[in-house]
Amino acid sequence: MPLTSAHEAMGDLAPAHNARLLSNDPARYSALVRNISAYGIYLVDADGLILSWNRGAASITNYAEREVLGQPYSLLFPEAALKEGQPLKNLTFARSSGHSHEEQVRRKRSGEEFIGQCTLDAIRADDGSITGFVEVLQDISEQKRREDQLYQRATRDALTGVFNRGHFTEMAVLEIDRARRFGEPLSAIMLDIDHFKKVNDTYGHHIGDQVIIALARTLTAQIRNIDFVGRLGGEEFAILLPRANKEPATEVAQRLRLLVSEQHVPIAPDQEIDFTVSIGVAALRPTTRNLQELLRNADAALYTAKREGRNRVEVWFE
């Protein structure tokens, strides 16, 4: 069946529109949806055994009908979901609420995992008792991959993978609002690669890019899960440290400075270059008006570090 007619058929044959048919003659409903290929549609009995299998289910999972009929519903779930008891949770929720609709990780015959849009409905007899379930499954892995790609392009720096300036700013504003609301400390770190123009002029922009990438990797490997890094432009980076006042932020900055100075970037089979960074630290204070002022304070401390000889950490004091 063509995709368009499959969608039209689901409009007519969706479980929600056919509660009485499912209740009185589930075999007929199974026959009606058997040739729909855009969606997997199958019946599961009250004990969790698969009773029917349409063309879409076979296409999505690569399980043939003969391989699944009479098998437990759990056959369709990956190991991690089985350990969490997801199949039973699904049936229990549908049993109590009558309906569930969510994205879940499912598995194909080969063991390959995919993201499924899963709608599970309970089938009720006239007396209200549960006689089984019907699930509609759609593989949305490609859609989710495209969405993730768009999100990455919109929020990540293409060279390093850290937050780009816009997303860093957006997230930092939210964190500052949260810190003020709960009365928690917060600090910002600004970093700049020392003598970066000389690196580009001497070795070329390709090596300059490798230095920037090496710095970004070092930063992201050393921060906490609640911290985040942004590339603000060129060789300049910022780190936001929620729940950290000036002292721990300074300790983080010193550790990063030492780790960066130990990095070696290969430029030839038998040649490497080292680099250092200058760092400025600023803590959020009651008088700090906004993110721009916080970063401006950290930037002022950074330029003090450069003026005082580079490869050092300076802290902004109000």
Side-chain angles (χ1 to χ4, degrees):
M1 181 179 290
L3 185 61
T4 53
S5 58
H7 281 276
E8 291 169 1
M10 274 311 299
D12 295 333
L13 299 173
H17 297 164
N18 290 274
R20 182 158 296 280
L21 178 60
L22 280 163
S23 174
N24 296 334
D25 196 351
R28 184 182 171 207
Y29 178 81
S30 298
L32 288 172
V33 301
R34 182 179 182 83
N35 290 322
I36 292 177
S37 58
Y39 301 88
I41 308 172
Y42 38 89
L43 300 179
V44 178
D45 70 14
D47 295 320
L49 300 179
I50 298 172
L51 296 179
S52 70
W53 199 243
N54 80 333
R55 181 180 294 178
S59 175
I60 291 170
T61 67
N62 296 324
Y63 275 113
E65 184 179 40
R66 66 180 182 280
E67 296 176 300
V68 298
L69 294 186
Q71 295 299 310
Y73 172 61
S74 58
L75 180 72
L76 309 178
F77 292 79
E79 189 64 31
L82 294 177
K83 289 180 179 178
E84 295 175 359
Q86 191 64 55
L88 181 58
K89 289 179 181 178
N90 286 4
L91 298 177
T92 300
F93 185 82
R95 191 184 299 275
S96 62
S97 66
H99 174 83
S100 70
H101 180 76
E102 60 181 317
E103 295 175 8
Q104 294 182 348
V105 178
R106 296 295 180 90
R107 71 178 291 272
K108 299 186 178 185
R109 186 179 187 276
S110 64
E112 176 189 353
E113 297 181 1
F114 67 95
I115 302 174
Q117 184 71 63
C118 313
T119 302
L120 186 67
D121 286 279
I123 303 172
R124 297 184 182 275
D126 290 339
D127 63 3
S129 62
I130 302 292
T131 60
F133 307 88
V134 56
E135 183 163 74
V136 178
L137 173 69
Q138 186 179 16
D139 183 352
I140 60 170
S141 301
E142 181 61 25
Q143 173 189 330
K144 299 300 289 185
R145 186 187 66 80
R146 289 196 301 268
E147 289 175 358
D148 185 62
Q149 284 181 337
L150 291 173
Y151 178 78
Q152 293 294 324
R153 290 174 186 169
T155 62
R156 298 283 176 168
D157 173 59
L159 179 64
T160 64
V162 303
F163 287 174
N164 59 28
R165 187 184 189 100
H167 192 57
F168 177 87
T169 299
E170 179 183 346
M171 296 298 293
V173 167
L174 293 175
E175 282 297 331
I176 288 175
D177 288 344
R178 189 196 61 77
R180 291 196 191 281
R181 186 165 63 252
F182 294 103
E184 294 180 344
L186 178 144
S187 296
I189 292 175
M190 295 281 286
L191 307 92
D192 191 274
I193 300 173
D194 295 328
H195 304 297
F196 185 69
K197 183 177 185 302
K198 183 178 179 181
V199 173
N200 275 338
D201 292 345
T202 304
Y203 303 105
H205 289 281
H206 172 70
I207 298 301
D209 285 350
Q210 295 308 305
V211 169
I212 289 173
I213 292 169
L215 173 58
R217 287 175 178 167
T218 301
L219 301 181
T220 55
Q222 296 299 319
I223 60 176
R224 303 167 299 170
N225 289 337
I226 62 172
D227 305 331
F228 49 88
V229 182
R231 184 183 179 198
L232 302 191
E235 70 275 24
E236 188 176 54
F237 288 79
I239 306 174
L240 201 79
L241 295 93
R243 303 174 194 169
N245 58 25
K246 179 178 60 181
E247 286 75 19
T250 303
E251 291 176 9
V252 169
Q254 289 287 11
R255 184 174 72 250
L256 291 173
R257 182 187 65 80
L258 291 171
L259 287 170
V260 169
S261 69
E262 296 170 357
Q263 296 297 307
H264 306 286
V265 177
I267 60 174
D270 58 348
Q271 188 178 5
E272 297 176 328
I273 61 170
D274 305 328
F275 66 99
T276 62
V277 291
S278 296
I279 302 178
V281 178
L284 182 68
R285 300 172 64 88
T287 55
T288 307
R289 288 173 293 182
N290 49 36
L291 172 65
Q292 289 70 29
E293 184 172 341
L294 178 66
L295 294 181
R296 191 161 55 245
N297 294 340
D299 200 42
L302 165 63
Y303 276 93
T304 299
K306 286 188 173 293
R307 189 173 61 248
E308 294 297 320
R310 295 182 170 84
N311 189 22
R312 58 186 293 124
V313 173
E314 292 289 342
V315 181
W316 181 83
F317 291 95
E318 190 174 39

